[in-house]
Amino acid sequence: MSQQGYVATPPYSQSQPGIGLSAPHYGHYGDPSHAASLPGVMKPPGPLGAAAPGAMLPPLPPGPQQFGQNGAHASSAPGPPPHRFAGPAPVGNVASAYQPSAQPSYPSPMSTPPVVQLGGQLGAMQLDSHGPGAGPTGPAAFQGPPLPAAPSILQPGPRVLPPPPTALNGPGAPPLAAGAAFPPQAAGYGPQMGAPASYPGGLPAGPARMAGPQPPKQLDPDAVPSPIQVIESDRAARGGQVYATNTRGQVPPLVTTDCVIQDQGHASPRYIRCTTYCFPSSSDLAKQAQVPLAAVLQPFATPPADETPLYLVNHGENGPVRCNRCKAYMCPFMQFIEGGRRYQCGFCNCVNDVPTFYFQHLDHLGRRLDHYEKPELSLGSYEYVATLDYCRKNKPPNPPAFIFMINVSYSNIKSGLVKLICEELKTLLEQLPREEQEETSAVRVGFITYHTVLHFFNVKSNLAQPQMMVVTDVGEVFVPLLDGLLVSYQESQSVIHNLLDQIPGMFADSSESEAVFAPVVQAGMEALKAADCPGKLFIFHSSLPTAEAPGKLKNRDDKRLLNTDKEKVLFQPQTSVYESLAKDCVAHGCSVTLFLFPSQYVDVASLGLVPLLTGGTLYKYSNFQSTAHTRRPRVSMFKARPPSGRVVVLGCQHGSQTASDLMHVDSQQFLHDLRGDIEKKIGFDAIMRVRTSTGFRATDFFGGVFMNNTTDVEMAALDCDKAVTVEFKHDDRLSEDSGALIQCAVLYTTVGGQRRLRIHNLGLSCSSQLADLYKSCETDALVNFFAKSAFKAVLHQPVKVIREILVNQTAHMLACYRKNCASPSAASQDAVIGTVQLASSAALLANGRMTRNLKRREDLPKEEDTQLSSLLLILPDSMKILPVYMNSLLKSCVLLGRPDTPTDERAFQRQLVMTMGVADSQLFFYPQLLPIHTLDVKSTALPAAIRCSESRLSEGGVFLLANGLNMFLWLGVSSPPELIQGIFNVPSLAHVNTDMTQLPEVGSPHSQQLRMLMGIVQRKRPYSMKLTIVKQREQPEAAFRQLLVEDRGLHGGSSYVDFLCCVHKEICQLLS
Ligand SMILES: [Zn+2]
């Protein structure tokens, strides 16, 4: 694709990113030498392992200096920095603008637990239990909730008795969340819930250290940093306010905080979020910290209605003003000089002449007089009307087309799926996207059906009846008609409705059970090509394409590959056909959205590559079953429940259901997704370019992207939900004065057929102090980056190695902070500011002072305090909940395969995460858990969320859990009957039908309230979440419990507390 004037030669050399795994970056994926230094493996025992025996350590309350000072994150966050250019003055109502320096510190002191002890931390490390030195393990040992662990399985560790829980609740400890814990013994899960919690090939362990029987050790989960508290305190400090983007390097509110964002010169965090807002000034410093420097770009994110939409700048034939050298677009980072005749580029420093049409005088501050009149001078984000130079063949583009391609094989007809789609399209086509000022949509539509051959339909408006043309040569697909395939819905409405009415009957007698796939995509692309327009294919498909045709696939699912070096093959496409097909699609602006209705393995890793690389979306519904079973019996029907992927065999208990009943299990979810996909904001035929100021550059891109060269990200389409994560590397020193500037430009075609440029600018700070880097980190963006880089790496690396790298890097980042920013030599005074501390009681015990009754840390002699300090786990305030998120990532089904997780489900989730924005990845890795039984039916406020742990549930409670893909309504065995009555209109829990995927409309206050709340949780999420009703102690509960990410995984994966201990151990080793 050539876009004159857009593709610029970079002023510096670039590395070669691609869709495959790039060269080893910070994480050293693919570096074999790494294996030799796996954390925790083969290393001598660290200080904790050498702990002397001892008794219980008394509570160790924090010194007063540890409170009230942890606002460093915000209070000393880069205030108005020494701007090279005067920042834009406030626009609009500035009185209400959020002024970071004047606001309460972030997060509030409340959110920082005090010094606490990792009582028996190693002993609680269940992740070590599979090691050779581990003590007895067995299913029985896992029947209780993971925390506190059952005595029988607890492995030895530092010989510390568990302190009473209250002892660990220091003054600053968080209060118990709503829905207080119920006693461990209450959770009598059957054996099916209690598979051994080994962590196959999982986290590194030090088995030798674990030998010897010891009493159980406990660490109060309330004493470790709580994601809920971090979220709530940010919400309390910044929620509902106006956040003005007027300061370079300013850390925005969390994605979970609702606020009004006012563009005052930097792009809204809705469009760009960074892992840190202060880059280290040198690459040495960056290497030392190993904090990834990355930005998550979501260029088409939908701002809420109360925020200003992007302004459109039109310079007519002149086109956008750009730097002559680096081709950066005019933006607030350009400095006007010489009375306004020239300007210096903020990215490459080149001095350019101001085009005559663009000249304007400067005021006494050196600012153009029209500064506030031009969005491109005063705003972080805006759009340009592109000139013909930016169009293919220098011609204005045609409006895009949507082609609906329906698999009409036997099972889809019988299940009623085809009829459902056709019926729905009749109303959905009324909602085709259009330009805001237009009354009708410019998008044209077309229809193709297929199984082993393709049927094209002529729906030209002057026809009385639609006409069908069959293409049987699927080896070389051609488009049999040009005129009448793609039409205006308004003009051809009656012919289209006629067709949609006929399709289900037309193939009713079909006995074709096989289908092709690649030729379908090919046909759609050829049709768009012939019509010379970009567009989107909506493909409704349900089976492995086994029919003889290009892209034919075999069933190569093989569970034996789990946890072997060959496991990566399961994530790779089976043939290169799909990648080259996707490449062709991108070259012609053809985006593919795939709705999959599999009843068995369909090879998502191969088929899903097409939507992933073409900017489309993959949807998967496993509950559209068909009566094909009567003809070609299958052993069982599977109801995959992502993300645990736990398979529940329907069959007997559902034997009486008809096919259409089963189909409707997922139909609402599907229809909701289809509607959302057709209506969503989208740009076509897009090229994205990320420019940076001198000293650093974009080196790697993660997401559904395709790159023909090193710098241009090509996308057949880009919609509001898709994000691309970009990693940056230094290639020189960064100047603290000028900071690090990023400009993301997306050239695209609108749904109305206009060629536009969407520009987002963001300025970050730079510092030679590591403390500044850590202060400005954003955990949610870090997790997005780590997830995407890891999920990209699974194509080439064993998941075991990737997990180890993730653990290692987590420890490394925190150890670097510990060493450089919270040094023990600085005594407690400075070292603990804005940090969370977890003192290792074992360390003190090693000092032989275990029996002394320490009341306050200040009572310690100096040298002992230093010793204690050296063993504190000190987490930077901005990263204090990084471990819980990282642990959740490590336990995701992509990185931790289990025999009961369908391979397709893992490939599906991998692809979803690759295109997620920060808000979606945050929810995915730390689901929202809401107590429903505490709902105030008179209030419209959401109940406060609680931590994702079973210990937070109660038998008498009802809880809603959502992760963006799935929603669970969990009913405790003692749920209040009036609540059950109110929600389900049945007298008791036993009467609740757990097969339902939608709540009944009961009309009671409880019902209305809950349904409204579910609507709020669903809002703004790209996927319609599937609702599963779960009764406590019944089997599907396993899928629910898998999302309680603070707990030990049912099939491996450590608990949060265990993981924290593991990381602490790593840090201690790194520091020693
Ligand atoms: Zn430049």
Side-chain angles (χ1 to χ4, degrees):
M1 191 179 328
S2 73
Q3 256 78 21
Q4 275 190 16
Y6 180 65
V7 180
T9 311
Y12 36 71
S13 66
Q14 298 265 1
S15 75
Q16 178 73 52
I19 21 179
L21 181 75
S22 63
H25 47 89
Y26 73 91
H28 314 299
Y29 291 119
D31 178 2
S33 67
H34 182 78
S37 62
L38 295 180
V41 178
M42 308 301 288
K43 286 182 189 167
L48 301 184
M56 177 180 135
L57 186 79
L60 193 61
Q65 72 279 7
Q66 284 134 33
F67 296 101
Q69 293 186 34
N70 40 19
H73 189 54
S75 59
S76 59
H83 251 309
R84 198 159 43 127
F85 315 115
V91 177
N93 178 11
V94 292
S96 61
Y98 173 69
Q99 298 300 331
S101 54
Q103 289 303 315
S105 58
Y106 152 64
S108 79
M110 274 297 288
S111 65
T112 305
V115 175
V116 290
Q117 306 150 24
L118 278 186
Q121 50 172 322
L122 295 183
M125 291 178 62
Q126 196 49 47
L127 51 98
D128 283 345
S129 70
H130 64 285
T137 58
F142 295 83
Q143 290 182 8
L147 289 173
S152 59
I153 51 151
L154 274 158
Q155 297 312 305
R159 296 101 212 222
V160 189
L161 288 172
T166 50
L168 290 169
N169 289 331
L176 267 182
F182 62 93
Q185 58 271 29
Y189 295 98
Q192 80 277 6
M193 310 290 289
S198 65
Y199 201 148
L203 299 174
R209 271 174 264 162
M210 310 309 295
Q214 285 293 319
K217 310 302 181 316
Q218 295 178 2
L219 175 66
D220 185 346
D222 281 334
V224 297
S226 155
I228 300 299
Q229 271 214 321
V230 168
I231 290 169
E232 288 301 327
S233 67
D234 190 65
R235 207 171 264 161
R238 310 174 87 169
Q241 303 184 19
V242 173
Y243 172 78
T245 64
N246 53 8
T247 309
R248 193 177 75 196
Q250 180 176 226
V251 183
L254 297 180
V255 275
T256 42
T257 299
D258 275 328
C259 55
V260 178
I261 294 165
Q262 196 175 71
D263 186 341
Q264 292 191 9
H266 295 272
S268 156
R270 301 191 198 284
Y271 302 118
I272 309 182
R273 275 192 179 265
C274 294
T275 52
T276 176
Y277 289 79
C278 179
F279 277 12
S281 54
S282 72
S283 63
D284 284 349
L285 217 51
K287 279 179 194 141
Q288 204 182 335
Q290 285 197 19
V291 173
L293 307 178
V296 185
L297 310 171
Q298 200 169 342
F300 285 88
T302 316
D306 52 358
E307 289 177 18
T308 319
L310 298 195
Y311 289 97
L312 182 61
V313 181
N314 191 347
H315 290 329
E317 285 179 0
N318 293 305
V321 179
R322 307 175 67 176
C323 169
N324 289 327
R325 189 197 288 168
C326 74
K327 302 293 178 191
Y329 295 86
M330 180 52 65
C331 67
F333 304 143
M334 304 297 186
Q335 172 95 314
F336 288 87
I337 51 175
E338 296 180 20
R341 286 187 303 277
R342 309 181 87 187
Y343 69 93
Q344 186 176 23
C345 173
F347 298 92
C348 70
N349 298 323
C350 173
V351 174
N352 296 273
D353 290 334
V354 172
T356 317
F357 84 91
Y358 202 66
F359 175 79
Q360 179 60 259
H361 292 285
L362 307 183
D363 65 13
H364 64 287
L365 295 171
R367 196 154 56 189
R368 283 172 61 118
L369 295 174
D370 59 357
H371 181 85
Y372 294 112
E373 289 152 34
K374 292 205 175 330
E376 74 275 20
L377 297 179
S378 51
L379 297 179
S381 301
Y382 42 88
E383 289 202 324
Y384 273 118
V385 173
T387 53
L388 290 180
D389 291 346
Y390 297 84
C391 304
R392 287 174 190 263
K393 301 171 202 158
N394 289 1
K395 276 193 325 194
N398 286 314
F402 287 178
I403 306 182
F404 299 91
M405 315 179 86
I406 307 170
N407 178 357
V408 290
S409 58
Y410 176 83
S411 60
N412 288 352
I413 293 286
K414 285 296 178 228
S415 71
L417 174 63
V418 173
K419 189 168 167 45
L420 181 75
I421 295 167
C422 291
E423 281 302 312
E424 189 68 11
L425 283 180
K426 285 194 271 182
T427 50
L428 285 184
L429 292 175
E430 305 279 352
Q431 309 297 327
L432 290 172
R434 54 186 163 82
E435 298 281 6
E436 266 159 40
Q437 69 280 11
E438 303 290 335
E439 275 187 20
T440 58
S441 173
V443 174
R444 285 175 296 163
V445 294
F447 304 87
I448 292 172
T449 60
Y450 67 95
H451 37 70
T452 53
V453 298
L454 284 86
H455 322 99
F456 292 74
F457 294 96
N458 184 345
V459 283
K460 211 172 170 184
S461 57
N462 58 5
L463 293 175
Q465 282 280 327
Q467 295 169 347
M468 178 168 87
M469 265 154 257
V470 183
V471 171
T472 53
D473 184 4
V474 290
E476 243 174 275
V477 175
F478 66 97
V479 179
L481 77 162
L482 295 177
D483 192 25
L485 177 65
L486 299 178
V487 298
S488 151
Y489 173 70
Q490 275 71 30
E491 290 168 15
S492 291
Q493 188 176 11
S494 66
V495 193
I496 290 171
H497 280 230
N498 188 328
L499 172 69
L500 293 172
D501 284 338
Q502 286 190 50
I503 285 176
M506 212 181 284
F507 302 98
D509 298 330
S510 164
S511 59
E512 190 54 71
S513 58
E514 292 196 302
V516 297
F517 183 75
V520 180
V521 179
Q522 181 86 31
M525 182 190 72
E526 297 289 344
L528 294 176
K529 201 165 134 188
D532 196 18
C533 68
K536 184 158 158 179
L537 311 182
F538 292 80
I539 305 182
F540 305 91
H541 190 83
S542 60
S543 60
L544 191 69
T546 50
E548 206 53 58
K552 174 183 173 179
L553 298 178
K554 290 194 290 276
N555 185 339
R556 45 95 186 232
D557 190 12
D558 189 354
K559 288 285 164 53
R560 287 170 304 181
L561 300 182
L562 284 188
N563 295 308
T564 68
D565 285 355
K566 286 186 179 165
E567 188 173 0
K568 58 184 183 238
V569 173
L570 298 175
F571 295 109
Q572 295 166 352
Q574 195 175 139
T575 144
S576 61
V577 168
Y578 291 99
E579 188 173 334
S580 57
L581 185 61
K583 193 175 173 179
D584 283 352
C585 284
V586 172
H588 295 99
C590 170
S591 174
V592 179
T593 280
L594 177 57
F595 293 85
L596 272 178
F597 307 89
S599 55
Q600 54 191 356
Y601 180 74
V602 293
D603 202 342
V604 169
S606 298
L607 302 186
L609 201 58
V610 181
L612 180 71
L613 296 180
T614 61
T617 307
L618 175 62
Y619 300 91
K620 183 161 85 63
Y621 313 93
S622 306
N623 275 338
F624 277 81
Q625 305 299 337
S626 78
T627 49
H629 305 277
T630 57
R631 219 163 56 96
R632 293 180 299 121
R634 292 190 183 113
V635 178
S636 55
M637 295 177 282
F638 292 113
K639 195 174 182 180
R641 294 174 182 274
S644 77
R646 181 142 184 121
V647 169
V648 178
V649 179
L650 302 177
C652 307
Q653 72 265 39
H654 296 272
S656 61
Q657 282 184 305
T658 65
S660 63
D661 284 341
L662 279 175
M663 189 196 77
H664 290 299
V665 168
D666 277 351
S667 61
Q668 287 309 314
Q669 191 196 355
F670 158 59
L671 294 178
H672 187 274
D673 284 338
L674 176 58
R675 200 174 305 128
D677 204 282
I678 286 179
E679 294 173 3
K680 75 165 94 172
K681 168 79 182 168
I682 184 169
F684 290 93
D685 204 3
I687 301 183
M688 182 172 87
R689 175 72 185 261
V690 178
R691 291 185 172 79
T692 53
S693 53
T694 52
F696 75 112
R697 63 201 160 94
T699 54
D700 212 350
F701 295 82
F702 305 89
V705 299
F706 193 84
M707 301 191 67
N708 265 332
N709 58 44
T710 54
T711 53
D712 294 316
V713 181
E714 296 189 27
M715 289 164 287
L718 181 60
D719 67 43
C720 56
D721 300 316
K722 301 291 187 298
V724 176
T725 300
V726 184
E727 190 185 11
F728 301 104
K729 287 261 164 63
H730 286 77
D731 50 14
D732 203 348
R733 269 194 82 81
L734 298 177
S735 147
E736 294 188 39
D737 283 346
S738 45
L741 310 178
I742 298 169
Q743 183 178 76
C744 163
V746 182
L747 174 64
Y748 74 101
T749 300
T750 67
V751 288
Q754 290 182 31
R755 201 71 175 147
R756 284 195 194 163
L757 280 150
R758 178 170 280 227
I759 315 288
H760 297 297
N761 303 289
L762 185 67
L764 307 174
S765 306
C766 295
S767 174
S768 55
Q769 302 300 314
L770 280 171
D772 293 335
L773 159 71
Y774 281 97
K775 243 181 331 203
S776 303
C777 282
E778 229 246 79
T779 290
D780 295 328
L782 279 168
V783 172
N784 181 285
F785 173 83
F786 281 121
K788 288 186 185 180
S789 61
F791 284 12
K792 182 174 177 179
V794 297
L795 292 174
H796 307 280
Q797 286 288 302
V799 290
K800 178 172 179 284
V801 173
I802 294 167
R803 284 197 304 260
E804 287 161 353
I805 291 168
L806 288 172
V807 175
N808 196 27
Q809 190 167 4
T810 304
H812 194 105
M813 291 190 303
L814 298 174
C816 176
Y817 177 78
R818 183 70 182 76
K819 188 175 174 193
N820 298 289
C821 310
S823 164
S825 62
S828 51
Q829 202 76 25
D830 301 322
V832 293
I833 295 174
T835 61
V836 170
Q837 307 165 10
L838 292 145
S840 162
S841 51
L844 261 199
L845 296 173
N847 201 30
R849 303 284 200 129
M850 69 295 286
T851 55
R852 205 171 46 182
N853 188 19
L854 292 174
K855 292 287 188 218
R856 298 168 62 80
R857 182 151 167 225
E858 292 88 327
D859 297 342
L860 278 176
K862 175 89 173 145
E863 85 282 3
E864 236 172 85
D865 185 62
T866 303
Q867 247 174 325
L868 169 65
S869 296
S870 70
L871 286 147
L872 290 172
L873 172 56
I874 301 181
L875 303 171
D877 199 36
S878 67
M879 284 188 191
K880 65 184 175 187
I881 55 168
L882 182 69
V884 69
Y885 283 89
M886 291 300 276
N887 187 41
S888 176
L889 168 61
L890 289 164
K891 292 192 284 187
S892 73
C893 75
V894 176
L895 294 185
L896 192 60
R898 299 180 299 270
D900 63 350
T901 306
T903 301
D904 274 347
E905 184 59 32
R906 298 180 73 196
F908 176 62
Q909 291 194 23
R910 188 187 89 81
Q911 297 193 357
L912 291 195
V913 170
M914 287 311 290
T915 62
M916 273 185 185
V918 180
D920 292 329
S921 59
Q922 189 277 332
L923 184 69
F924 188 73
F925 290 109
Y926 198 86
Q928 196 172 15
L929 179 58
L930 302 171
I932 300 304
H933 53 283
T934 60
L935 270 186
D936 177 2
V937 292
K938 294 190 190 76
S939 155
T940 53
L942 282 186
I946 59 174
R947 293 171 64 173
C948 289
S949 168
E950 191 181 327
S951 64
R952 313 284 162 172
L953 305 178
S954 58
E955 289 197 346
V958 171
F959 296 85
L960 185 72
L961 181 75
N963 77 339
L965 271 191
N966 283 67
M967 213 184 265
F968 290 91
L969 189 63
W970 184 90
L971 312 171
V973 287
S974 313
S975 305
E978 62 277 11
L979 188 56
I980 296 292
Q981 177 75 44
I983 297 172
F984 299 99
N985 201 22
V986 294
S988 75
L989 183 66
H991 292 81
V992 174
N993 172 13
T994 54
D995 291 336
M996 69 176 77
T997 53
Q998 274 191 305
L999 291 184
E1001 288 182 45
V1002 175
S1004 70
H1006 280 121
S1007 171
Q1008 286 168 350
Q1009 184 83 356
L1010 176 56
R1011 290 155 57 81
M1012 181 205 72
L1013 187 150
M1014 288 167 64
I1016 295 173
V1017 170
Q1018 175 65 61
R1019 200 172 55 198
K1020 292 186 279 184
R1021 299 298 169 187
Y1023 291 88
S1024 172
M1025 287 184 247
K1026 177 175 175 177
L1027 176 67
T1028 305
I1029 313 283
V1030 172
K1031 291 184 192 173
Q1032 187 181 6
R1033 295 177 205 163
E1034 289 191 9
Q1035 198 193 14
E1037 198 188 14
F1040 164 81
R1041 289 185 51 190
Q1042 203 64 41
L1043 298 190
L1044 298 176
V1045 296
E1046 290 199 24
D1047 295 345
R1048 183 176 303 133
L1050 297 173
H1051 304 277
S1054 48
S1055 72
Y1056 173 27
V1057 171
D1058 292 346
F1059 180 69
L1060 207 52
C1061 295
C1062 168
V1063 168
H1064 188 194
K1065 191 171 66 175
E1066 290 304 316
I1067 293 171
C1068 290
Q1069 287 179 355
L1070 286 168
L1071 292 176
S1072 65

